[in-house]
Amino acid sequence: MALFELVKNAYDADANEVTIKFEKLGTADAIISIRDNGQGMSLDTIEHVWLVPGHDHREQERESNVRSPRYGRLPLGEKGVGRFAVHKLGDSINLVTRAEGHAECVAKFDWDQLLDETYLADAQITVRERAPQVFAAATGTLIEVGRLRAAEWTRGEIRDLYRQVTSIASPFGDRVGNFEVKLEVPDHPEWLATLPGVQQLLEMAPYRFEFDFDGAKLHYRYEFVGVPGLRLEKRIVERDEPHFQVPPAQEPDELDPVDQPRPKRRSRITADKSTLEGIGKVSGRFHVFDRDKKVLPLYGDTRFLERFLNQNGGVRVYRDGVRVYNYGEPSDDWLGLDLRRVNEPTKRLSRNITIGVVDLGLAESQGLHEKTNREGFVENEVYGRLQRVVLGALWVLQVERNIDKERIRELTGAASDTPQGVEGPLAELRRLARENRIGDILEPTIRKIEDDYQTLRENFARSGVSHAGLAIIFHEVERGVRVLTGSINDPGMTIESIRDQAGQLQGILETSSQLLRNTTSRPGSLRDIVRTARDLSLLRFRLHGIKLECPALEEDGPDATATFASGLVLGALTNLIDNAVHWVKVRHPEPADRRIYVNVVPDYEGGPAIVVADNGSGFLDDPATMVSPFFTRRPGGSGLGLYFANLVMDLNEGRLVFPTMDQAEVPEGYDGAVAALVFGRR
């Protein structure tokens, strides 16, 4: 960190090159020198700025938008204390500097002499001018540190320092001119000779992703470049997404101190210009690797690649091309990637397979304040919005990467994820119930759900049904928990309504249990199924301001009879409605514009059908991909809704199709997605 602060000072001084040199290591004369070719300092600047702790001239320059003359940079420094970190490196400090049109200045600090004085006022620093010797033909600053406090610098420590030093400047271009940081060990050149360049290693990543979000749209480019030895075609996706989904804002933990009741926040699932207030445009580049045991050996030196990823994996943040510490360090997981990956280890990204850079503009990101201890930004509301933007972009990368990951699995025969249980969602439900003082009311239902789920789990194991079937149960229970959680947090919800929602959640397990029963399908009315699904979803329509158009439920509306297991079909239909609710919210932040259409088509191709359409964002993928398990473009989604609906229709001798609006007889005003449950013929 001491070296990093000096490098930042060189950046602020308009340098384009900084060289850090370790000389005479292992001896009493060991020296660390830091030299730049920046503007240098005059005697007046040294005395009245550089030697004054907490001087705010850099902060004033930034607030006044005063830029450097050579590269037009805004200063990174703001607190006026970073330069004093150099004194942690050694007890003898020599400063040599020269500014344009001034003599060369020399200053010496000897801490043995300084500490002999009882009072700080008596500790003298000598600064003098001389004819240029070090900077005879140019300007710049040289700092030499002697009597090093770290007596030994090993090969491993130097190589680790090299990794950090080379990461100070962004590897993906720059905003304000070239800025290069070098590290040299003249007495031991072999220590660094075998280290490959960062670009060479990044070229080994099979998945590449870059994005820009300016508040109006998300532009992204994804590229799968292939894996050595596997015959897979390259794949490139480049899109402009006007409806950029981001994870919802997290409420404070219940143990966090609060001075007053927490206001209910409006939950936004898309980002816009207001999301970037105090942040400015956000860009990023990511290289993602594959550490699967059947893939990693194809890259040759697996031990070296794994070591590189362990040391460099993570997402770093840069402002005007200069790194903000300590984001991206091995001890830092500011986006919570590793925690999110616990339940889906092969589906989600983690730090040890991801090397990423987030790029911000210093002038535009004034709402982000660096901590005095240089451990990232102050974690305020602006910082939370930055996290959400980056996580939203990473979700897009994750979706595209999983498509190619599945292709690799098919070729290598690798296994898919195993779904987890419902303990987590139910524990969260219990916490919210206690917090809202209705724990006693809901506890019997929660216990019943736990017992029923465990019974289903055992039945699945005995019957040999696939893990995907169990995942369907988890998906349905999780969705029910989410709806019930929303009801608890709604101040206008009555206890009777919450009880109804709890009963519906319990009914999910009872409905899902039909997957294990040899229940005989019976003839039934499709209109009745639509009415039940409508009734179950009325609360959600009201909460989200969605207008429902349902001709089948009007007087003399269309109806048809088919043979099916009603509980399963009801679950499939509510899943289609659930998807429609989400995607109309994505496309239309204002509730007045949200519309969903549900109807019965008696004479669809091959048999009667239930059609669900909306005016949301529409489908981006082919049907085979959409109905595959765990695939979703919905941040935080499980990817089982359409898979469940497809499986249900297959069990009921029908099919799930994705027709055009004309084929499904959908009226004008619906230009999003349309899906149909077709009965009577595969």
Side-chain angles (χ1 to χ4, degrees):
M1 289 306 301
L3 292 172
F4 179 59
E5 290 300 324
L6 296 177
V7 169
K8 286 172 63 176
N9 285 348
Y11 174 92
D12 288 348
D14 241 6
N16 64 7
E17 183 177 291
V18 184
T19 301
I20 301 172
K21 188 179 294 185
F22 286 73
E23 298 179 273
K24 301 178 183 180
L25 291 180
T27 72
D29 299 324
I31 290 178
I32 302 175
S33 66
I34 304 94
R35 178 169 179 161
D36 68 61
N37 62 350
Q39 296 175 355
M41 293 180 287
S42 66
L43 181 64
D44 182 72
T45 302
I46 294 174
E47 181 179 358
H48 295 104
V49 176
W50 201 78
L51 286 176
V52 179
H55 199 288
D56 62 352
H57 78 293
R58 292 299 190 195
E59 185 178 11
Q60 291 177 10
E61 288 178 348
R62 186 192 297 186
E63 291 178 351
S64 302
N65 199 35
V66 177
R67 295 179 176 269
S68 62
R70 185 186 302 175
Y71 294 115
R73 298 169 177 165
L74 282 177
L76 297 170
E78 56 183 353
K79 295 181 173 63
V81 296
R83 57 186 171 274
F84 296 104
V86 68
H87 298 283
K88 294 291 288 184
L89 294 175
D91 290 329
S92 172
I93 313 292
N94 291 334
L95 167 72
V96 182
T97 183
R98 178 174 177 245
E100 185 71 30
H102 292 269
E104 190 172 85
C105 297
V106 179
K108 293 188 177 182
F109 303 80
D110 188 317
W111 280 98
D112 287 343
Q113 296 179 10
L114 292 171
L115 293 175
D116 283 341
E117 303 295 342
T118 304
Y119 300 103
L120 183 63
D122 297 331
Q124 298 298 309
I125 303 296
T126 301
V127 184
R128 62 187 177 88
E129 292 182 315
R130 72 183 184 190
Q133 298 177 18
V134 176
F135 297 100
T139 61
T141 299
L142 169 66
I143 297 177
E144 294 179 323
V145 185
R147 301 211 305 274
L148 303 183
R149 297 191 179 184
E152 297 292 335
W153 283 82
T154 65
R155 175 179 178 272
E157 290 171 334
I158 290 292
R159 289 165 72 94
D160 185 57
L161 184 62
Y162 175 83
R163 173 187 66 82
Q164 298 192 48
V165 163
T166 54
S167 73
I168 290 175
S170 173
F172 300 120
D174 66 282
R175 288 173 175 257
V176 282
N178 295 325
F179 186 64
E180 183 179 8
V181 185
K182 299 178 180 179
L183 178 65
E184 298 177 359
V185 189
D187 300 327
H188 299 282
E190 73 280 1
W191 286 4
L192 303 177
T194 59
L195 287 174
V198 174
Q199 291 298 333
Q200 177 185 346
L201 290 163
L202 292 179
E203 289 300 316
M204 301 172 69
Y207 316 98
R208 322 277 175 83
F209 181 77
E210 55 186 80
F211 78 92
D212 295 287
F213 179 58
D214 59 4
K217 67 178 184 300
L218 172 74
H219 173 79
Y220 69 89
R221 186 180 191 274
Y222 167 84
E223 181 179 7
F224 172 68
V225 300
V227 176
L230 296 183
R231 300 183 63 181
L232 286 170
E233 292 184 0
K234 295 183 179 180
R235 192 172 72 92
I236 297 176
V237 179
E238 189 164 5
R239 289 196 180 105
D240 286 324
E241 176 54 63
H243 312 294
F244 177 29
Q245 297 183 79
V246 294
Q250 297 296 314
E251 291 289 343
D253 188 274
E254 63 175 340
L255 298 179
D256 289 347
V258 290
D259 297 327
Q260 55 188 357
R262 298 171 184 148
K264 182 175 176 59
R265 287 202 303 248
R266 179 182 176 186
S267 178
R268 293 188 63 91
I269 59 176
T270 56
D272 56 18
K273 286 190 178 297
S274 66
T275 311
L276 297 184
E277 290 179 4
I279 300 172
K281 179 181 176 181
V282 182
S283 303
R285 293 194 185 185
F286 297 84
H287 285 62
V288 179
F289 294 77
D290 198 324
R291 299 182 73 156
D292 187 277
K293 62 182 179 181
K294 294 188 177 182
V295 176
L296 190 61
L298 300 175
Y299 286 94
D301 191 348
T302 58
R303 291 184 61 187
F304 178 79
L305 183 56
E306 286 189 305
R307 191 182 310 117
F308 169 76
L309 291 173
N310 290 339
Q311 293 178 343
N312 295 275
V315 180
R316 298 168 180 166
V317 178
Y318 290 80
R319 290 211 287 188
D320 278 3
V322 177
R323 188 174 173 189
V324 179
Y325 267 92
N326 57 340
Y327 299 122
E329 286 300 289
S331 61
D332 172 73
D333 186 15
W334 67 287
L335 295 171
L337 297 182
D338 293 349
L339 181 63
R340 288 176 168 84
R341 193 173 187 263
V342 169
N343 287 335
E344 298 176 283
T346 64
K347 290 289 182 180
R348 300 233 180 179
L349 301 175
S350 62
R351 290 184 300 151
N352 69 351
I353 62 172
T354 305
I355 295 180
V357 166
V358 174
D359 187 26
L360 306 171
L362 184 59
E364 299 82 12
S365 59
Q366 295 302 302
L368 297 168
H369 305 286
E370 291 188 46
K371 298 177 181 177
T372 305
N373 62 5
R374 296 300 188 264
E375 293 183 357
F377 295 121
V378 175
E379 296 175 7
N380 55 17
E381 186 266 341
V382 180
Y383 172 77
R385 286 190 271 114
L386 173 64
Q387 284 182 307
R388 295 174 64 204
V389 168
V390 178
L391 286 171
L394 284 177
W395 185 269
V396 176
L397 162 59
Q398 191 171 270
V399 170
E400 299 294 349
R401 175 234 183 201
N402 286 343
I403 293 175
D404 294 307
K405 183 74 174 174
E406 195 61 36
R407 293 200 295 157
I408 293 175
R409 284 199 192 97
E410 292 174 359
L411 212 57
T412 61
S416 297
D417 287 343
T418 300
Q420 306 297 311
V422 297
E423 292 81 3
L426 290 180
E428 175 66 9
L429 181 59
R430 275 196 172 98
R431 185 187 70 81
L432 285 171
R434 289 196 304 269
E435 186 177 302
N436 288 273
R437 300 179 180 179
I438 55 173
D440 293 341
I441 297 173
L442 290 185
E443 184 59 29
T445 298
I446 295 175
R447 289 181 181 174
K448 183 69 166 58
I449 291 169
E450 286 178 323
D451 293 342
D452 289 349
Y453 179 82
Q454 187 60 35
T455 300
L456 276 171
R457 191 185 186 101
E458 294 171 357
N459 289 340
F460 266 99
R462 286 196 295 267
S463 63
V465 177
S466 68
H467 283 295
L470 183 58
I472 291 172
I473 304 299
F474 170 62
H475 167 63
E476 291 297 288
V477 173
E478 192 274 338
R479 185 164 68 91
V481 170
R482 189 169 65 248
V483 172
L484 183 54
T485 300
S487 301
I488 293 175
N489 285 330
D490 185 355
M493 189 63 59
T494 65
I495 192 64
E496 289 76 15
S497 298
I498 292 176
R499 280 177 173 157
D500 290 342
Q501 291 288 330
Q504 291 170 18
L505 175 57
Q506 185 175 337
I508 288 172
L509 282 171
E510 296 172 357
T511 298
S512 300
S513 66
Q514 296 184 46
L515 283 170
L516 297 177
R517 301 173 187 165
N518 294 320
T519 306
T520 303
S521 298
R522 297 182 176 84
S525 164
L526 297 188
R527 180 195 292 172
D528 290 344
I529 287 291
V530 169
R531 179 179 290 106
T532 303
R534 187 274 313 270
D535 293 344
L536 289 174
S537 305
L538 279 177
L539 176 64
R540 303 195 67 206
F541 294 150
R542 180 179 68 82
L543 288 175
H544 301 297
I546 296 172
K547 179 181 178 181
L548 174 67
E549 184 176 354
C550 191
L553 299 184
E554 297 175 0
E555 188 176 354
D556 299 326
D559 192 12
T561 300
T563 301
F564 53 87
S566 60
L568 293 178
V569 172
L570 178 61
L573 180 55
T574 53
N575 266 289
L576 297 186
I577 293 175
D578 180 65
N579 282 344
V581 168
H582 175 78
W583 292 106
V584 297
K585 288 168 58 184
V586 168
R587 185 177 180 184
H588 303 289
E590 298 302 324
D593 300 322
R594 300 169 182 170
R595 302 176 66 190
I596 292 177
Y597 175 87
V598 182
N599 198 23
V600 174
V601 179
D603 54 352
Y604 190 82
E605 301 173 5
I610 299 175
V611 172
V612 178
D614 60 57
N615 65 341
S617 302
F619 295 126
L620 292 176
D621 305 282
D622 61 90
T625 300
M626 291 191 295
V627 301
S628 60
F630 307 111
F631 176 83
T632 179
R633 290 189 179 274
R634 178 175 174 174
S638 64
L640 290 168
L642 292 180
Y643 172 70
F644 174 76
N646 188 55
L647 177 61
V648 164
M649 294 311 295
D650 189 56
L651 292 173
N652 283 274
E653 302 295 326
R655 64 194 193 279
L656 171 66
V657 299
F658 303 95
T660 65
M661 295 294 179
D662 289 339
Q663 288 174 325
E665 302 178 11
V666 178
E668 293 185 2
Y670 297 91
D671 56 355
V674 59
L677 306 176
V678 184
F679 299 85
R681 190 180 71 178
R682 286 186 180 274

